[in-house]
Amino acid sequence: MRKIELVGYDDQSDVETSVRTYEKLMADDKVDLILPPWGTNFAFAVGPLANKYGYPFLSTTGSPKKLLDLKMPYFFGSSWTAEQSTKALVDLMAAQHIKSVAIGYMDDLFGLERYNIVVPLLKEHGIALVGEKSFPANVKDLSVVLKDFKAKEPDALVGFTYPAESFLMTTQTKEIGFNPKFFYVAIGPAFAFFKQRFGDAADGMIGFGTWNTSQGPVQQAYRDAYFKRFNKEPDRDTTGFVWSSLQILQEAVEKAGPDRKAIRDYIASNEFSTMLGKLSYKNGMLARDSATVSQWQNGHYEVVWPAASATKPPLYPKPEWK
């Protein structure tokens, strides 16, 4: 049993501050291990730095293709890649026989990467892209865009969006009486406050999601421990990646010792039992064919895709707004 000192700094949600802080931790403080920052842009900035100093970097909220393409030996994309999550979305839409879609997306690496991936996938599956629009972070009004989408009567509405934009898109779609048969906003539905905000109207909403308490005692125990500690529900997406990455890191340290290269080599060459099931890495990314997708159904955020991982089948078409 080792006593661990946790050292933390506030990067103030600023990429440059985050880079300076991590350089201090690794070059000056010479900490034994690091945990990743939050978000794609931050992972893109800090990942190469961690690789430079030889620190295993398990990125739980950002695994962009541009970063994986650098093939950095110390970088592990510990969340779904844009390819995995976007393919899962399109496969789910195809399974529901969706014929048309309108897409709103963030004008940054997160949104642009997914938009560029989804266009050929839609074409491959014969799904028509009838509307598309990019927008910046913290946009205040999407009503004009959504009214234009509504007029095109797509089967599906998709938002490659962060929580604030997911909430705005959902709120204004409901306000204008637009009820697509399939409604996906990437980041946001997995948080309990999404259900608190929209109540029964959340039913049928789809987004990123990785786990559910009905999957087994490991997931239930995690939820109970989290609730006891913080007195609120954990999100059903990122927490799955974070906890699983900590399980992986713990096992690697236990088996390989404190040497960072030995830890890196152990992570790269082994399979791990985690909260998200069996996980391993291939070329720095999670070795899974598909990401998972979740949906609100009767007050529970169920895993609905792929079918082999599903806790419930998809609810389609989406119910009318309540």
Side-chain angles (χ1 to χ4, degrees):
M1 182 72 70
R2 288 192 178 104
K3 185 176 181 180
I4 302 297
E5 179 186 1
L6 186 62
V7 179
Y9 296 98
D10 182 4
D11 66 13
Q12 301 173 20
S13 297
D14 177 76
V15 172
E16 291 185 6
T17 301
S18 185
V19 169
R20 288 196 302 270
T21 299
Y22 273 93
E23 183 130 36
K24 180 181 184 303
L25 286 167
M26 293 182 287
D28 298 335
D29 298 347
K30 300 187 186 303
V31 296
D32 294 304
L33 295 169
I34 59 170
L35 300 179
W38 189 94
T40 302
N41 292 336
F42 289 80
F44 199 84
V46 176
L49 192 65
N51 193 71
K52 171 186 172 182
Y53 286 104
Y55 278 79
F57 187 86
L58 280 67
S59 181
T60 54
T61 59
S63 302
K65 184 177 186 298
K66 287 184 179 179
L67 203 50
L68 289 163
D69 285 346
L70 295 177
K71 300 189 183 304
M72 298 179 295
Y74 283 84
F75 182 86
F76 297 94
S78 298
S79 58
W80 306 132
T81 64
E83 286 87 350
Q84 288 168 324
S85 61
T86 307
K87 181 181 184 299
L89 167 63
V90 176
D91 286 347
L92 173 58
M93 289 197 292
Q96 310 313 308
H97 307 293
I98 286 170
K99 299 300 182 185
S100 58
V101 60
I103 299 175
Y105 58 99
M106 306 301 301
D107 187 15
D108 67 0
L109 180 61
F110 173 85
L112 290 168
E113 189 171 43
R114 284 162 175 78
Y115 174 76
N116 289 329
I117 292 166
V118 80
V119 171
L121 287 176
L122 293 172
K123 185 175 181 180
E124 179 183 324
H125 286 277
I127 301 173
L129 179 58
V130 298
E132 56 188 283
K133 182 65 177 178
S134 65
F135 39 79
N138 300 313
V139 61
K140 302 302 181 186
D141 185 10
L142 289 172
S143 59
V144 173
V145 174
L146 293 169
K147 287 175 182 177
D148 179 63
F149 287 171
K150 180 183 178 183
K152 293 177 168 61
E153 299 183 343
D155 292 333
L157 175 61
V158 167
F160 293 128
T161 43
Y162 298 131
E165 294 75 25
S166 294
F167 273 66
L168 177 66
M169 198 170 184
T170 304
T171 298
Q172 294 193 321
T173 299
K174 184 174 183 290
E175 286 175 349
I176 66 172
F178 180 19
N179 190 61
K181 297 176 183 177
F182 183 102
F183 193 176
Y184 170 103
V185 285
I187 305 177
F191 293 97
F193 54 75
F194 189 90
K195 170 65 175 176
Q196 293 164 4
R197 167 66 178 81
F198 295 106
D200 291 342
D203 255 20
M205 292 296 300
I206 303 169
F208 285 2
T210 59
W211 66 281
N212 183 283
T213 54
S214 66
Q215 291 173 312
V218 172
Q219 292 80 3
Q220 185 66 53
Y222 173 80
R223 179 267 170 201
D224 292 345
Y226 187 100
F227 193 88
K228 182 178 180 180
R229 174 67 176 82
F230 298 106
N231 196 33
K232 64 179 182 179
E233 291 287 335
D235 83 84
R236 297 305 199 263
D237 179 39
T238 304
T239 49
F241 293 127
V242 172
W243 194 251
S244 293
S245 74
L246 293 173
Q247 290 176 303
I248 290 169
L249 192 59
Q250 177 182 347
E251 180 179 328
V253 171
E254 289 174 347
K255 299 294 186 181
D259 180 77
R260 286 191 290 273
K261 184 180 185 304
I263 292 170
R264 178 264 160 210
D265 292 345
Y266 188 88
I267 293 172
S269 58
N270 283 276
E271 184 178 65
F272 301 86
S273 296
T274 77
M275 179 177 170
L276 300 184
K278 298 287 187 181
L279 293 180
S280 61
Y281 294 93
K282 182 179 180 180
N283 297 325
M285 65 181 182
L286 290 175
R288 288 273 187 94
D289 292 333
S290 176
T292 48
V293 183
S294 294
Q295 181 182 45
W296 280 103
Q297 296 185 14
N298 299 317
H300 298 280
Y301 199 53
E302 305 285 357
V303 179
V304 296
W305 194 263
S309 303
T311 57
K312 293 284 185 181
L315 178 63
Y316 182 84
K318 174 189 171 300
E320 292 293 326
W321 292 114
K322 298 176 184 177

